[in-house]
Amino acid sequence: MKVQLIVLKTGEQLIGEYQSQVDEFGNEGIMIKKPAILVPAGDKGIGIAPWMPYSKAQNGVFIKHDCIGLMVDPVDELSTHYTTSFVNGLVVPSNQLETPKLQLTE
């Protein structure tokens, strides 16, 4: 799979590994694995955050071609940051909070 910068017609800028696909209804589009969204950070910076973090989109989300404005190769630094953070190294915490068992002593 190839990492691409994807601009949706809504203006959202996504980054992710994609593969061309046809859905069960015959719609042509792309399947994005582990999608992330670019967000402004500071004056001239950008950050990367999970896209739709409360969904099962991390397993992949299908986007029809008519929803996509354009797709381009990201600069190497952005592609490397995405791959390091989301593909190879992102650790998603579990829903359970574990607390250590404490014992009071005198």
Side-chain angles (χ1 to χ4, degrees), residues 8-55:
L8 301 180
K9 288 184 177 177
T10 60
E12 293 170 291
Q13 295 182 22
L14 307 178
I15 187 168
E17 294 180 324
Y18 87 99
Q19 183 175 13
S20 294
Q21 195 169 9
V22 176
D23 70 6
E24 64 270 16
F25 305 107
N27 297 308
E28 294 182 1
I30 60 171
M31 176 65 74
I32 304 175
K33 300 283 186 178
K34 298 183 181 180
I37 187 167
L38 302 181
V39 292
D43 290 335
K44 296 182 181 180
I46 59 167
I48 303 176
W51 187 53
M52 299 176 23
Y54 301 106
S55 71

Side-chain angles (χ1 to χ4, degrees), residues 32-104:
I32 304 175
K33 300 283 186 178
K34 298 183 181 180
I37 187 167
L38 302 181
V39 292
D43 290 335
K44 296 182 181 180
I46 59 167
I48 303 176
W51 187 53
M52 299 176 23
Y54 301 106
S55 71
K56 294 183 180 180
Q58 300 308 313
N59 299 328
V61 62
F62 180 81
I63 300 175
K64 294 191 298 185
H65 279 175
D66 61 351
C67 296
I68 298 170
L70 64 104
M71 293 174 59
V72 294
D73 292 329
V75 295
D76 291 340
E77 184 179 32
L78 181 60
S79 180
T80 300
H81 182 66
Y82 166 78
T83 302
T84 302
S85 299
F86 287 82
V87 177
N88 299 334
L90 183 65
V91 177
V92 179
S94 68
N95 291 338
Q96 296 178 344
L97 179 64
E98 295 182 26
T99 58
K101 297 196 185 278
L102 302 175
Q103 294 181 0
L104 297 175

